[in-house]
């Protein structure tokens, strides 16, 4: 049984009110179904506004879905703010991009890491102290840092402190939203290695949200590529990123700047990422798609399974089905 | 060939704390030079100092020559002619570099008036031509837009149009695509390559992303803790890096192809500028450092023709 299951989940926000027009609603996440297995990592990639962060919040029950259902450990996700949801929070944790914003500037590192233990009533004072010392060691922070405040730490040390706090309650699921994007390359590698080690040692399931395909490939077992609230391609990381089938995934993969690769092979998409409030008809990607055909503007391609086990939402990836239709 | 701009022994200190500790760099006409390094290594400060854009409390030393003209200590009116004229600069966040309450077309026209003496209809026509050149759709309509009405990618195109307005010999692009999405980054890199080739303009690309630099630049400088630690042709730097820091940066990058391997992280962190190691600044994080590395700062030595690195472990 999967640890986390999303079934046709959608999240709609009320749009901007116009003076004489009805407010159009924005579908930030639209009909997403996916599963996360215990101990495995799902990477979610896409550009700004594609709904990847909203999806992360739906997975943690921080927001209720407008449609569809989220199940954690076989039971429906309780509504946010309820007692049942609070209890579950010890088993699911979130790590953000900006560690300074996630930490309380007035508390020492040790106090911050102990806080979830206090909130969930885990252990007595002595047990908590021992647990905090262990967590600091696990994330590679020296004990001399325990008494410091967040401003006295470097960016990499802060993100380690945030991780130690997230791991304090022994969660089964960790949702990381751009956890290493603000870090320099040499520090990023340290934190990525540590995340992979901790996840394997503890058997945590991880959802890794990032725009950085190289880092996603490094940590993920499977990958979901999002465009304007929908998953356009999903499958094993090695397949999806090595041999992408959806034209959008192809463009994303080819746009990854890699030292030593010839830039001429790059697919440059025209146009900007579209506005979620003005979703194009049919396949939302068709105005920017280099291979679009007339049917793409009329029909939304469903996410369908391919022979190799991945799923792709593109009319051209399933030519026999759609040409006939 | 005479260098277009020649930097010698450039130093910068803020309140007595050194940020830049002696940089030598030449940029030749029409070439694309990349500067890479992590936060605080001095790659942006180098060019802010060269163009006199640092606050007054910064102590700047050394020499920056643009042709026959010394830029350090030059009077403000002559610097105003250089900035936006012979040397233009674009930054990471175009939205904050643009004036939010003035239409973007007017801002480009202002640059045209200051640097080329164009006014009225001639300035508008030229601004429109520049918008077309940088690939802004509906250029005539977009001249009347405000920065907040445009996307990040479009705003960066406006900044590039404004930079081109003064017909610069050198464009300095400081992390021009860092705030942009992957597909938009690809568009802007393509645009920079095109305008650089069309105008025969030199380009300095400052980036923390080695891939972005590899994409555009023929020559690369790697900076660490206020010094240049390696310099060479792009293929020399990326295929046979000589300095342990450059080697470490490349090994720390995850691959997009091939089997997944554990990342080789560089241990430790960048030294505090107020308490630098006695010798090589990278020695405390370096796998091949020895006692001799603490004796003094290593000078750049030749690895092979055109390729130099500041490391004692390189056979002289």
């Amino acid at each position: 049984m999967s640890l986390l299951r999303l079934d046709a989940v959608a999240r709609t926000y009320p749009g901007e009110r116009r003076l004489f027009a009805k407010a159009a609603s924005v579908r930030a996440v639209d009909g997403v179904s996916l599963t996360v297995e215990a101990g495995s990592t799902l990477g979610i990639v896409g550009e700004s506004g594609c709904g990847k962060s909203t999806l992360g919040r739906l997975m943690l029950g921080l927001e209720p879905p407008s449609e569809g259902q989220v199940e954690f450990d076989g039971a429906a996700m309780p509504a946010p703010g309820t007692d049942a949801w609070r209890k579950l929070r010890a088993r699911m944790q979130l790590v953000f991009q900006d560690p300074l914003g996630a930490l309380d500037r007035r508390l020492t590192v040790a106090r911050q890491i102990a806080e979830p233990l206090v909130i969930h009533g885990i252990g007595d004072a002595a047990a908590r102290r021992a647990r905090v010392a262990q967590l600091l060691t696990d994330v590679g922070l020296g004990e001399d840092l325990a008494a410091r405040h967040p401003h006295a730490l470097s960016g990499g040390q802060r993100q380690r402190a945030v991780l130690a706090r997230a791991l304090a309650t022994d969660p089964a699921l960790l949702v990381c939203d751009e956890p290493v994007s603000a870090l320099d390359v040499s520090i990023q590698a340290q934190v990525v290695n540590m995340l992979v080690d901790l996840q394997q040692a503890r058997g945590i399931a991880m959802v890794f949200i990032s725009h950085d395909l190289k880092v996603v490939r490094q940590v993920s077992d499977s990958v979901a590529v999002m465009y304007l609230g929908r998953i356009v391609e999903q499958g094993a990381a090695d397949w999806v990123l090595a041999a992408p089938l959806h034209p959008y995934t192809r463009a994303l993969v080819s746009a990854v700047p890699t030292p030593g690769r010839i830039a001429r092979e790059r697919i440059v998409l025209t146009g900007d990422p579209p506005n979620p409030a003005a979703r194009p008809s049919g396949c939302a990607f068709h105005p920017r798609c280099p291979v679009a055909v007339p049917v793409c503007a009329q029909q939304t391609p469903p996410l369908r399974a391919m022979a190799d086990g991945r799923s792709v939402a593109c009319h051209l990836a399933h030519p026999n089905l759609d040409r006939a239709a | 060939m005479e260098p277009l701009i020649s930097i010698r022994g450039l130093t910068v200190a803020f309140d007595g704390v050194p940020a830049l500790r002696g940089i030598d760099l030449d940029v030749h006409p029409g070439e694309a030079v990349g500067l890479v390094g992590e936060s605080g290594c001095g790659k942006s400060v180098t060019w802010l100092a060269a163009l006199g854009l640092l606050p007054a409390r910064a102590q700047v030393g050394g020499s920056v020559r643009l042709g026959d003209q010394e830029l350090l200590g030059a009077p403000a009116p002559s610097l105003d002619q250089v900035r936006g004229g012979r040397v233009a600069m674009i930054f990471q966040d175009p939205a904050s570099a643009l004036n939010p309450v003035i239409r973007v077309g007017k801002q480009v026209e202002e640059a045209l008036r200051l640097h080329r003496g164009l006014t009225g209809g001639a300035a508008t026509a030229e601004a429109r031509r520049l918008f077309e050149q940088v690939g802004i759709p509906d250029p005539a309509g977009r001249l009347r837009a405000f920065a907040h009405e445009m996307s990040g990618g479009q705003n960066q195109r406006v900044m590039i149009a404004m930079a081109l307005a003064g017909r610069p010999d050198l464009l300095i692009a400081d992390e021009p695509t860092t705030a942009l999405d992957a597909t938009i980054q690809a568009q802007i890199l393509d645009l920079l390559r095109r305008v650089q080739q069309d105008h025969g303009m030199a380009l300095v690309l400052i980036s923390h992303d080695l891939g972005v630099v590899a994409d555009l630049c023929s020559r690369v400088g790697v900076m660490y803790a206020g010094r240049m630690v390696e310099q060479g042709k792009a293929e020399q730097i990326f295929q046979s890096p000589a300095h342990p820091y450059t080697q470490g940066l490349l090994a720390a990058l995850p691959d997009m192809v091939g089997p997944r391997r554990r990342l080789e992280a560089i241990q430790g962190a960048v030294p505090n500028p107020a308490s630098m190691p006695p010798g090589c600044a990278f020695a405390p994080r370096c796998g091949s450092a020895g006692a001799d590395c603490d004796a003094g700062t290593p000078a750049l030595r030749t690895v092979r023709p055109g390729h130099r690195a500041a490391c004692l472990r390189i056979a002289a």
Side-chain angles (χ1 to χ4, degrees), chain B residues 43-228:
Chain B
K43 55 193 190 298
S44 299
V45 167
T46 300
W47 292 98
L48 294 175
L51 295 177
L53 291 170
L54 288 175
R57 69 186 174 94
Q59 301 138 281
V60 182
S63 154
V64 178
R65 299 194 70 82
L66 178 68
D68 304 329
Q69 191 184 5
E70 173 63 50
L71 295 186
L72 287 193
S78 59
L79 277 181
D80 285 342
Q81 282 304 309
V82 168
R83 293 186 294 230
R86 289 194 70 190
V87 183
M89 195 160 178
I90 59 171
F91 297 94
Q92 174 173 343
D93 181 9
S96 66
L98 289 166
N99 189 324
V101 295
I102 299 178
R103 297 180 197 280
V104 290
K106 279 274 170 276
Q107 300 184 56
V108 177
E109 287 173 32
E110 186 187 8
L112 288 166
R113 179 175 59 79
L114 286 171
H115 294 287
R116 285 175 42 201
L118 296 177
T119 51
T124 309
E126 178 64 5
R128 194 194 142 148
R129 192 190 67 78
L130 286 167
F131 269 31
E132 243 163 54
Q133 193 188 356
V134 298
I136 293 176
D138 180 24
R142 292 273 97 180
L143 285 173
R144 299 189 45 77
F146 292 101
H148 72 267
E149 296 172 319
M150 307 185 45
S151 66
Q154 298 298 350
N155 277 333
Q156 195 60 290
R157 287 178 195 267
V158 171
M159 289 306 298
I160 294 171
M162 203 183 297
L164 295 178
R167 291 189 177 141
D169 296 325
L170 171 63
L171 173 65
I172 296 159
D174 189 353
E175 303 274 8
T177 61
T178 306
L180 303 176
D181 274 318
T183 59
I184 307 303
Q185 166 169 292
Q187 293 175 0
I188 297 294
L189 291 177
D190 256 33
L191 173 63
L192 283 173
R193 188 198 327 278
R194 190 160 55 74
V195 296
Q196 191 230 341
Q197 286 167 355
D198 291 355
H199 289 245
M201 161 183 90
L203 174 73
V204 170
L205 180 67
I206 301 170
S207 181
H208 70 287
D209 188 329
L210 287 93
V212 166
V213 165
D215 206 302
L216 274 187
C217 301
S218 53
R219 214 152 58 83
V220 175
V222 182
M223 293 182 67
Y224 186 76
R227 279 185 195 279
M228 194 71 77

Side-chain angles (χ1 to χ4, degrees), chain A residues 196-250:
Chain A
V196 171
D197 291 348
L198 287 170
Q199 191 221 359
Q200 284 172 356
R202 291 161 180 252
I204 305 171
M206 187 157 74
V207 174
F208 194 95
I209 301 168
S210 178
H211 71 284
D212 186 335
L213 265 65
K214 282 193 260 194
V215 175
V216 166
R217 181 181 121 96
Q218 181 70 18
V219 301
S220 305
D221 300 301
S222 56
V223 172
V225 182
M226 289 187 73
Y227 192 78
L228 217 59
R230 286 172 169 266
I231 292 178
V232 296
E233 184 161 1
Q234 185 178 21
D238 285 330
W239 282 104
V240 171
L241 298 179
L245 285 177
H246 195 283
Y248 178 62
T249 320
R250 272 191 217 152

Side-chain angles (χ1 to χ4, degrees), chain A residues 47-48 190 217 220 266 269, chain B residues 181 183 187 190 258 260 266:
Chain A
E47 298 178 283
S48 336
Q190 293 173 5
R217 181 181 121 96
S220 305
R266 207 168 46 200
L269 296 177
Chain B
D181 274 318
T183 59
Q187 293 175 0
D190 256 33
R260 276 178 272 186
I266 303 175

